[in-house]
Structures are given as structure tokens and as C-alpha cells.
Coordinates of all heavy atoms in Angstrom, one line a residue:
S105 N 9.4 -20.3 12.7 CA 10.4 -19.6 13.3 C 11.7 -19.6 12.4 O 11.8 -20.4 11.5 CB 10.8 -20.2 14.7 OG 11.3 -21.5 14.5
G106 N 12.6 -18.7 12.7 CA 13.8 -18.6 11.9 C 13.6 -17.6 10.8 O 12.7 -17.0 10.6
Q107 N 14.8 -17.6 10.0 CA 14.8 -16.7 8.9 C 13.9 -17.2 7.7 O 14.0 -18.4 7.4 CB 16.2 -16.5 8.4 CG 17.0 -15.8 9.4 CD 16.6 -14.3 9.7 OE1 16.1 -13.6 8.8 NE2 16.7 -13.9 10.9
Y108 N 13.3 -16.4 7.0 CA 12.7 -16.8 5.7 C 13.6 -16.6 4.6 O 13.9 -15.6 4.1 CB 11.4 -15.9 5.5 CG 10.3 -16.1 6.5 CD1 9.9 -15.1 7.3 CD2 9.7 -17.4 6.6 CE1 8.9 -15.3 8.2 CE2 8.7 -17.6 7.5 CZ 8.3 -16.5 8.3 OH 7.3 -16.8 9.2
E109 N 14.2 -17.8 4.1 CA 15.1 -17.8 3.1 C 14.9 -19.1 2.3 O 14.1 -19.9 2.7 CB 16.6 -17.8 3.7 CG 16.8 -18.9 4.7 CD 18.2 -18.7 5.4 OE1 18.6 -17.5 5.7 OE2 18.7 -19.7 5.8
G110 N 15.5 -19.2 1.1 CA 15.3 -20.3 0.3 C 13.9 -20.2 -0.3 O 13.4 -19.2 -0.6
D111 N 13.2 -21.4 -0.5 CA 11.9 -21.4 -1.1 C 10.9 -20.6 -0.3 O 10.1 -19.9 -0.9 CB 11.4 -22.8 -1.2 CG 12.1 -23.6 -2.3 OD1 12.7 -23.0 -3.2 OD2 12.1 -24.9 -2.3
R112 N 10.9 -20.8 1.0 CA 9.8 -20.0 1.8 C 10.1 -18.5 1.9 O 9.2 -17.7 2.2 CB 9.7 -20.6 3.2 CG 10.8 -20.3 4.1 CD 10.5 -21.0 5.4 NE 11.4 -20.6 6.5 CZ 11.2 -20.7 7.7 NH1 10.0 -21.2 8.2 NH2 12.1 -20.3 8.6
G113 N 11.3 -18.1 1.5 CA 11.6 -16.6 1.4 C 11.2 -16.0 0.1 O 11.2 -14.8 -0.1
D114 N 10.8 -16.9 -0.9 CA 10.3 -16.4 -2.2 C 8.9 -15.9 -2.2 O 8.5 -15.3 -3.2 CB 10.5 -17.5 -3.3 CG 11.9 -17.8 -3.6 OD1 12.8 -16.9 -3.3 OD2 12.2 -18.9 -4.0
L115 N 8.2 -16.0 -1.2 CA 6.8 -15.7 -1.1 C 6.6 -14.5 -0.3 O 7.2 -14.4 0.8 CB 5.9 -16.8 -0.5 CG 4.4 -16.6 -0.5 CD1 3.9 -16.7 -1.9 CD2 3.8 -17.8 0.3
V116 N 5.9 -13.4 -0.8 CA 5.7 -12.2 -0.1 C 4.2 -12.0 0.1 O 3.4 -12.3 -0.8 CB 6.3 -11.0 -0.9 CG1 5.9 -9.7 -0.2 CG2 7.8 -11.2 -1.1
G117 N 3.7 -11.6 1.3 CA 2.3 -11.5 1.4 C 2.0 -10.8 2.8 O 2.8 -10.4 3.5
G118 N 0.7 -10.6 2.9 CA 0.1 -10.0 4.1 C -1.4 -10.3 4.2 O -2.0 -10.7 3.2
A119 N -1.9 -10.1 5.4 CA -3.3 -10.3 5.6 C -3.9 -9.2 6.5 O -3.2 -8.5 7.2 CB -3.6 -11.6 6.3
R120 N -5.2 -8.9 6.3 CA -5.9 -8.0 7.1 C -7.4 -8.4 7.4 O -7.9 -9.1 6.5 CB -5.8 -6.6 6.5 CG -6.7 -6.4 5.3 CD -6.5 -5.0 4.7 NE -7.3 -4.8 3.6 CZ -8.5 -4.2 3.6 NH1 -9.0 -3.7 4.6 NH2 -9.2 -4.2 2.4
W121 N -7.9 -8.0 8.5 CA -9.2 -8.3 8.8 C -10.0 -7.0 8.7 O -9.6 -6.0 9.2 CB -9.2 -8.7 10.3 CG -10.6 -8.9 10.9 CD1 -11.3 -8.0 11.6 CD2 -11.4 -10.0 10.8 NE1 -12.5 -8.5 12.0 CE2 -12.7 -9.8 11.4 CE3 -11.3 -11.3 10.1 CZ2 -13.7 -10.7 11.5 CZ3 -12.3 -12.2 10.2 CH2 -13.5 -11.9 10.9
A122 N -11.1 -7.0 8.0 CA -12.0 -5.8 7.8 C -13.4 -6.3 7.5 O -13.6 -7.2 6.7 CB -11.5 -5.0 6.7
D123 N -14.3 -5.7 8.1 CA -15.8 -5.9 7.8 C -16.1 -7.4 8.0 O -16.9 -8.0 7.2 CB -16.2 -5.4 6.5 CG -16.0 -3.9 6.3 OD1 -16.2 -3.2 7.3 OD2 -15.5 -3.5 5.2
G124 N -15.5 -8.1 9.0 CA -15.9 -9.5 9.2 C -15.2 -10.5 8.3 O -15.7 -11.7 8.3
H125 N -14.2 -10.1 7.5 CA -13.6 -11.0 6.6 C -12.1 -10.8 6.6 O -11.6 -9.7 6.8 CB -14.1 -10.8 5.2 CG -15.6 -11.0 5.0 ND1 -16.1 -12.3 4.8 CD2 -16.6 -10.2 5.0 CE1 -17.4 -12.2 4.7 NE2 -17.7 -10.9 4.8
W126 N -11.4 -11.9 6.3 CA -9.9 -11.8 6.2 C -9.6 -11.7 4.6 O -10.3 -12.3 3.8 CB -9.3 -13.1 6.7 CG -9.0 -13.2 8.1 CD1 -9.8 -13.9 9.0 CD2 -8.0 -12.4 8.8 NE1 -9.2 -13.7 10.2 CE2 -8.1 -12.8 10.2 CE3 -7.0 -11.6 8.5 CZ2 -7.3 -12.3 11.2 CZ3 -6.1 -11.1 9.5 CH2 -6.3 -11.4 10.8
T127 N -8.6 -10.9 4.4 CA -8.1 -10.8 3.0 C -6.7 -11.1 3.0 O -5.9 -10.6 3.9 CB -8.3 -9.3 2.5 OG1 -9.7 -8.9 2.4 CG2 -7.8 -9.2 1.0
L128 N -6.3 -12.0 2.2 CA -4.9 -12.6 2.1 C -4.4 -12.3 0.8 O -5.0 -12.6 -0.2 CB -4.8 -14.0 2.4 CG -3.5 -14.7 2.2 CD1 -2.5 -14.3 3.2 CD2 -3.6 -16.2 2.3
E129 N -3.3 -11.5 0.7 CA -2.6 -11.3 -0.6 C -1.2 -11.8 -0.5 O -0.5 -11.5 0.4 CB -2.6 -9.8 -0.9 CG -4.0 -9.2 -1.1 CD -3.9 -7.7 -1.4 OE1 -2.9 -7.2 -2.0 OE2 -4.9 -7.0 -1.1
T130 N -0.9 -12.5 -1.6 CA 0.5 -13.1 -1.7 C 1.0 -12.9 -3.1 O 0.2 -12.8 -4.0 CB 0.5 -14.6 -1.3 OG1 -0.3 -15.3 -2.2 CG2 0.1 -14.8 0.1
S131 N 2.3 -12.9 -3.2 CA 2.9 -12.9 -4.6 C 4.2 -13.7 -4.6 O 4.8 -13.9 -3.5 CB 3.2 -11.5 -5.1 OG 4.2 -10.9 -4.3
R132 N 4.5 -14.2 -5.8 CA 5.8 -14.9 -6.0 C 6.1 -14.9 -7.5 O 5.2 -14.5 -8.3 CB 5.7 -16.4 -5.5 CG 4.6 -17.2 -6.2 CD 5.0 -18.7 -6.1 NE 5.2 -19.1 -7.5 CZ 4.9 -20.3 -8.0 NH1 4.5 -21.2 -7.1 NH2 5.1 -20.6 -9.1
K133 N 7.2 -15.4 -7.9 CA 7.6 -15.3 -9.3 C 6.7 -16.4 -10.0 O 6.3 -17.4 -9.4 CB 9.0 -15.8 -9.4 CG 10.0 -14.7 -8.8 CD 11.5 -15.2 -9.1 CE 12.4 -14.2 -8.4 NZ 13.8 -14.8 -8.5
I134 N 6.5 -16.2 -11.4 CA 5.7 -17.1 -12.1 C 6.5 -18.4 -12.2 O 6.0 -19.5 -12.1 CB 5.4 -16.5 -13.5 CG1 4.4 -15.3 -13.3 CG2 4.9 -17.6 -14.5 CD1 4.3 -14.5 -14.6
K135 N 7.9 -18.4 -12.4 CA 8.7 -19.5 -12.4 C 9.7 -19.4 -11.4 O 10.6 -18.5 -11.5 CB 9.4 -19.7 -13.8 CG 8.4 -20.0 -14.9 CD 9.1 -20.1 -16.2 CE 8.1 -20.4 -17.4 NZ 8.8 -20.7 -18.6
T136 N 9.7 -20.3 -10.3 CA 10.6 -20.1 -9.2 C 11.9 -20.8 -9.4 O 12.9 -20.5 -8.7 CB 10.0 -20.5 -7.9 OG1 9.7 -21.9 -8.0 CG2 8.6 -19.7 -7.6
G137 N 11.8 -21.8 -10.2 CA 13.0 -22.7 -10.4 C 13.2 -23.7 -9.3 O 14.1 -24.5 -9.2
S138 N 12.2 -23.8 -8.3 CA 12.3 -24.7 -7.2 C 11.6 -26.0 -7.6 O 10.5 -26.1 -8.3 CB 11.5 -24.1 -6.0 OG 11.4 -25.2 -5.0
K139 N 12.1 -27.2 -7.1 CA 11.6 -28.5 -7.4 C 10.3 -28.7 -6.5 O 9.6 -29.6 -6.7 CB 12.6 -29.6 -7.1 CG 13.0 -29.7 -5.6 CD 14.0 -30.8 -5.5 CE 14.3 -30.9 -4.0 NZ 15.3 -32.1 -3.7
F140 N 10.0 -27.8 -5.6 CA 8.9 -27.9 -4.7 C 7.7 -27.1 -5.2 O 6.6 -27.1 -4.6 CB 9.2 -27.5 -3.3 CG 10.3 -28.3 -2.7 CD1 11.6 -27.8 -2.5 CD2 10.1 -29.6 -2.3 CE1 12.6 -28.5 -1.9 CE2 11.1 -30.3 -1.8 CZ 12.4 -29.8 -1.6
D141 N 7.9 -26.2 -6.2 CA 6.8 -25.3 -6.8 C 6.4 -25.8 -8.1 O 7.1 -26.5 -8.8 CB 7.3 -23.9 -6.9 CG 7.6 -23.2 -5.6 OD1 7.0 -23.6 -4.6 OD2 8.4 -22.4 -5.6
K142 N 5.2 -25.3 -8.5 CA 4.6 -25.6 -9.8 C 4.7 -24.2 -10.5 O 4.3 -23.2 -9.8 CB 3.2 -26.0 -9.8 CG 3.0 -27.4 -9.2 CD 3.5 -28.4 -10.2 CE 3.2 -29.8 -9.8 NZ 3.7 -30.8 -10.7
D143 N 5.1 -24.1 -11.7 CA 5.1 -22.9 -12.4 C 3.7 -22.4 -12.8 O 2.8 -23.3 -13.1 CB 6.0 -23.0 -13.8 CG 7.4 -23.2 -13.4 OD1 7.9 -22.9 -12.4 OD2 8.1 -23.7 -14.4
F144 N 3.5 -21.1 -12.9 CA 2.2 -20.7 -13.4 C 2.4 -20.7 -14.9 O 3.3 -20.1 -15.5 CB 2.0 -19.3 -12.9 CG 1.5 -19.1 -11.4 CD1 2.5 -18.9 -10.5 CD2 0.3 -19.3 -11.1 CE1 2.1 -18.8 -9.1 CE2 -0.2 -19.3 -9.8 CZ 0.8 -19.0 -8.8
V145 N 1.4 -21.2 -15.7 CA 1.4 -21.2 -17.1 C 0.2 -20.6 -17.6 O -0.9 -21.0 -17.2 CB 1.5 -22.7 -17.6 CG1 1.5 -22.7 -19.1 CG2 2.8 -23.3 -17.0
A146 N 0.3 -19.6 -18.4 CA -0.9 -18.8 -18.9 C -1.9 -19.8 -19.6 O -1.6 -20.7 -20.4 CB -0.5 -17.8 -20.0
G147 N -3.2 -19.6 -19.2 CA -4.2 -20.4 -19.7 C -4.5 -21.8 -19.0 O -5.4 -22.5 -19.3
H148 N -3.5 -22.1 -18.1 CA -3.6 -23.5 -17.4 C -3.8 -23.2 -15.9 O -3.0 -22.6 -15.3 CB -2.4 -24.3 -17.6 CG -2.2 -24.7 -19.0 ND1 -2.8 -25.8 -19.5 CD2 -1.4 -24.1 -19.9 CE1 -2.4 -25.9 -20.8 NE2 -1.5 -24.9 -21.0
P149 N -5.0 -23.6 -15.3 CA -5.2 -23.3 -13.9 C -4.3 -24.1 -13.0 O -3.8 -25.2 -13.4 CB -6.7 -23.9 -13.7 CG -6.9 -24.8 -14.8 CD -6.1 -24.4 -15.9
L150 N -3.9 -23.5 -11.9 CA -3.1 -24.1 -10.8 C -4.0 -24.2 -9.6 O -4.5 -23.1 -9.2 CB -1.9 -23.3 -10.6 CG -0.9 -23.8 -9.6 CD1 -0.3 -25.1 -10.1 CD2 0.2 -22.7 -9.4
Y151 N -4.1 -25.3 -9.0 CA -5.0 -25.5 -7.8 C -4.1 -25.5 -6.6 O -3.0 -26.2 -6.5 CB -5.8 -26.8 -7.9 CG -6.8 -26.7 -9.1 CD1 -6.4 -27.1 -10.3 CD2 -8.0 -26.2 -8.9 CE1 -7.3 -27.1 -11.4 CE2 -8.9 -26.1 -9.9 CZ -8.6 -26.6 -11.2 OH -9.5 -26.6 -12.2
M152 N -4.5 -24.8 -5.5 CA -3.8 -24.8 -4.3 C -4.7 -24.6 -3.1 O -5.9 -24.1 -3.2 CB -2.7 -23.6 -4.3 CG -3.3 -22.3 -4.4 SD -2.0 -21.0 -4.4 CE -1.2 -21.3 -5.9
W153 N -4.2 -25.0 -2.0 CA -5.0 -25.0 -0.7 C -4.3 -23.9 0.2 O -3.1 -23.7 0.1 CB -5.1 -26.3 0.0 CG -6.0 -27.2 -0.6 CD1 -7.2 -27.5 -0.1 CD2 -5.8 -28.1 -1.7 NE1 -7.8 -28.4 -0.8 CE2 -7.0 -28.8 -1.9 CE3 -4.8 -28.3 -2.6 CZ2 -7.2 -29.8 -2.9 CZ3 -4.9 -29.2 -3.6 CH2 -6.1 -29.9 -3.8
V154 N -5.1 -23.2 1.0 CA -4.5 -22.3 1.9 C -4.8 -22.7 3.3 O -5.9 -23.1 3.6 CB -5.3 -20.9 1.7 CG1 -4.7 -19.9 2.6 CG2 -5.1 -20.4 0.2
S155 N -3.8 -22.8 4.1 CA -3.9 -23.1 5.6 C -3.3 -22.0 6.4 O -2.4 -21.3 5.9 CB -3.1 -24.4 5.8 OG -3.7 -25.5 5.1
V156 N -3.8 -21.8 7.6 CA -3.2 -20.8 8.5 C -3.0 -21.4 9.8 O -3.7 -22.4 10.3 CB -4.2 -19.5 8.6 CG1 -4.3 -18.9 7.2 CG2 -5.5 -20.0 9.1
F157 N -2.0 -20.9 10.5 CA -1.7 -21.3 11.9 C -2.7 -20.6 12.7 O -2.8 -19.3 12.7 CB -0.3 -21.0 12.2 CG 0.0 -21.3 13.7 CD1 0.0 -22.6 14.1 CD2 0.2 -20.3 14.6 CE1 0.3 -22.9 15.5 CE2 0.5 -20.5 15.9 CZ 0.5 -21.8 16.4
D158 N -3.5 -21.3 13.6 CA -4.5 -20.6 14.4 C -4.3 -20.8 15.9 O -5.2 -20.9 16.7 CB -5.9 -21.0 14.0 CG -6.1 -22.4 14.0 OD1 -5.2 -23.2 14.5 OD2 -7.2 -22.9 13.6
H159 N -3.0 -21.0 16.3 CA -2.6 -21.1 17.7 C -3.2 -22.4 18.4 O -3.4 -22.4 19.6 CB -2.9 -19.9 18.5 CG -2.2 -18.6 18.0 ND1 -1.0 -18.4 18.2 CD2 -2.8 -17.7 17.2 CE1 -0.6 -17.3 17.5 NE2 -1.7 -16.7 17.0
T160 N -3.4 -23.4 17.6 CA -3.8 -24.8 18.2 C -2.8 -25.8 17.7 O -2.1 -25.6 16.7 CB -5.2 -25.2 17.7 OG1 -5.2 -25.3 16.2 CG2 -6.2 -24.2 18.1
Q161 N -2.7 -26.9 18.3 CA -1.7 -27.9 18.1 C -2.1 -28.8 16.9 O -1.4 -29.3 16.1 CB -1.4 -28.8 19.2 CG -0.7 -28.1 20.3 CD -0.3 -29.0 21.5 OE1 -0.7 -30.2 21.5 NE2 0.5 -28.6 22.3
T162 N -3.4 -28.8 16.7 CA -4.0 -29.7 15.6 C -5.2 -29.0 15.0 O -5.7 -28.0 15.5 CB -4.4 -31.1 16.1 OG1 -5.5 -30.9 17.0 CG2 -3.3 -31.8 16.7
R163 N -5.7 -29.5 13.9 CA -6.9 -29.0 13.2 C -6.7 -27.5 12.8 O -7.7 -26.7 13.2 CB -8.1 -29.3 14.0 CG -8.3 -30.8 14.4 CD -9.5 -31.1 15.2 NE -10.7 -30.7 14.6 CZ -11.4 -31.5 13.8 NH1 -11.0 -32.7 13.5 NH2 -12.6 -31.1 13.3
H164 N -5.7 -27.2 12.2 CA -5.6 -25.7 11.7 C -6.6 -25.4 10.7 O -7.2 -26.3 10.0 CB -4.2 -25.5 11.1 CG -3.1 -25.8 12.1 ND1 -2.9 -25.0 13.3 CD2 -2.1 -26.6 12.1 CE1 -1.9 -25.5 14.0 NE2 -1.3 -26.4 13.2
T165 N -6.9 -24.1 10.5 CA -7.9 -23.7 9.6 C -7.3 -23.8 8.2 O -6.2 -23.6 7.9 CB -8.1 -22.1 9.9 OG1 -8.5 -21.9 11.2 CG2 -9.1 -21.5 8.9
R166 N -8.2 -24.3 7.3 CA -7.9 -24.5 5.9 C -9.2 -24.6 5.1 O -10.2 -24.9 5.5 CB -7.0 -25.8 5.6 CG -7.8 -27.1 5.9 CD -6.7 -28.3 5.8 NE -7.0 -29.3 6.7 CZ -6.8 -29.4 8.0 NH1 -6.4 -28.3 8.7 NH2 -7.0 -30.4 8.8
H167 N -8.9 -24.3 3.7 CA -10.0 -24.4 2.8 C -10.4 -25.8 2.6 O -9.5 -26.7 2.5 CB -9.6 -23.8 1.4 CG -9.7 -22.3 1.4 ND1 -10.7 -21.7 0.8 CD2 -8.8 -21.4 1.8 CE1 -10.5 -20.4 0.9 NE2 -9.4 -20.2 1.5
A168 N -11.7 -26.1 2.5 CA -12.1 -27.5 2.2 C -11.9 -27.8 0.7 O -11.6 -29.0 0.3 CB -13.6 -27.7 2.5
R169 N -12.0 -26.9 -0.1 CA -11.8 -27.0 -1.5 C -10.5 -26.2 -2.0 O -10.3 -25.1 -1.4 CB -13.0 -26.6 -2.3 CG -14.2 -27.3 -2.1 CD -15.3 -26.8 -2.9 NE -16.6 -27.4 -2.5 CZ -17.7 -27.2 -3.1 NH1 -17.8 -26.2 -4.0 NH2 -18.8 -27.8 -2.7
P170 N -9.9 -26.6 -3.1 CA -8.7 -25.8 -3.5 C -9.2 -24.5 -4.2 O -10.2 -24.3 -4.6 CB -8.1 -26.8 -4.6 CG -9.2 -27.6 -5.1 CD -10.1 -27.8 -3.9
V171 N -8.2 -23.5 -4.1 CA -8.4 -22.2 -4.8 C -7.8 -22.4 -6.2 O -6.7 -22.9 -6.3 CB -7.7 -21.1 -4.0 CG1 -7.7 -19.8 -4.8 CG2 -8.2 -21.0 -2.6
R172 N -8.6 -22.1 -7.2 CA -8.1 -22.2 -8.6 C -7.5 -20.8 -9.0 O -8.1 -19.8 -8.9 CB -9.2 -22.5 -9.6 CG -8.7 -22.7 -11.0 CD -9.7 -23.1 -11.9 NE -10.5 -21.9 -12.2 CZ -11.6 -21.9 -12.9 NH1 -12.1 -23.0 -13.4 NH2 -12.3 -20.8 -13.1
V173 N -6.2 -20.8 -9.4 CA -5.5 -19.6 -9.8 C -5.2 -19.8 -11.3 O -4.7 -20.8 -11.7 CB -4.2 -19.4 -9.0 CG1 -3.5 -18.2 -9.5 CG2 -4.5 -19.4 -7.5
T174 N -5.6 -18.8 -12.1 CA -5.4 -18.8 -13.5 C -4.6 -17.6 -13.9 O -5.1 -16.5 -13.6 CB -6.7 -18.9 -14.3 OG1 -7.4 -20.1 -13.8 CG2 -6.5 -19.1 -15.8
L175 N -3.6 -17.8 -14.6 CA -2.8 -16.6 -15.1 C -3.3 -16.3 -16.5 O -3.4 -17.1 -17.4 CB -1.3 -17.1 -15.2 CG -0.3 -16.0 -15.8 CD1 -0.2 -14.8 -14.8 CD2 1.0 -16.6 -15.9
A176 N -3.7 -15.1 -16.7 CA -4.2 -14.7 -18.0 C -3.1 -14.7 -19.1 O -2.0 -14.5 -18.7 CB -4.8 -13.3 -18.0
D177 N -3.4 -15.0 -20.3 CA -2.4 -14.9 -21.3 C -1.7 -13.5 -21.3 O -2.4 -12.5 -21.2 CB -3.1 -15.2 -22.7 CG -3.5 -16.6 -22.8 OD1 -2.9 -17.5 -22.2 OD2 -4.5 -16.9 -23.6
G178 N -0.5 -13.6 -21.5 CA 0.3 -12.3 -21.7 C 0.9 -11.9 -20.3 O 1.6 -10.9 -20.2
G179 N 0.8 -12.8 -19.3 CA 1.4 -12.5 -18.0 C 3.0 -12.6 -18.1 O 3.5 -13.4 -18.8
S180 N 3.7 -11.5 -17.5 CA 5.1 -11.5 -17.7 C 5.8 -11.2 -16.4 O 7.0 -10.9 -16.5 CB 5.5 -10.6 -18.8 OG 5.1 -9.3 -18.5
R181 N 5.2 -11.2 -15.2 CA 5.8 -10.9 -14.0 C 6.5 -12.0 -13.4 O 6.2 -13.1 -13.5 CB 4.9 -10.2 -13.0 CG 4.4 -8.9 -13.5 CD 3.9 -8.0 -12.4 NE 2.6 -8.5 -12.1 CZ 1.9 -8.2 -11.0 NH1 2.5 -7.4 -10.1 NH2 0.7 -8.6 -10.7

């Protein structure tokens, strides 16, 4: 709840359900300048977990394994 500002306001994304699957797309700066973020570095994988609020008090949905994100050399966004 509340306004999305500061670190959590730096992430833009959306999700949709189609053909029995969820698709989640997000974007953020390669270097955010935040002490809470890791920078994306070309050629070095960054591992992250994805969790979603599923209207329960506990045991939210999440990946059992991390998602590996790799920025290709030459990335400049």
C-alpha cells in the first residue's frame, strides 16, 4: 500500500495470464545507485527469486530456485 517511490518506485512491470501461464515482465536501470540493489554487469549472472502476493497470510507463491539473469555484453540501458 502507499505510493511507489524511492527504491520500490524504480521498478516498472506488469503481468498477464494467457494459455494457462503467467508472464511477468519487469524493468529497471542497470545501475540504480541503491545500497539495496545489485548492479547488472555484462557477462556476470545475477541471481534473483520471484515472489508474488497470493492473498494468503503466509506461504506466498515463490520460485524454488533462483532465476539467472545475464546481461549480454554491450548492454547500455
Side-chain angles (χ1 to χ4, degrees):
S105 66
Q107 294 293 326
Y108 291 118
E109 53 192 33
D111 286 343
R112 71 183 193 158
D114 290 338
L115 185 69
V116 177
R120 70 180 179 103
W121 174 264
D123 299 324
H125 298 278
W126 278 103
T127 300
L128 172 66
E129 294 183 27
T130 60
S131 67
R132 61 153 244 211
K133 295 178 182 178
I134 291 173
K135 294 182 180 182
T136 66
S138 171
K139 66 180 181 180
F140 301 108
D141 290 333
K142 294 287 188 182
D143 292 339
F144 288 97
V145 178
H148 296 279
L150 182 66
Y151 295 88
M152 60 181 68
W153 283 261
V154 178
S155 296
V156 296
F157 175 70
D158 57 5
H159 300 286
T160 63
Q161 291 184 351
T162 59
R163 303 178 62 90
H164 298 300
T165 304
R166 66 186 146 286
H167 279 262
R169 296 183 188 176
V171 176
R172 184 179 74 184
V173 180
T174 304
L175 179 66
D177 289 332
S180 61
R181 290 198 285 163

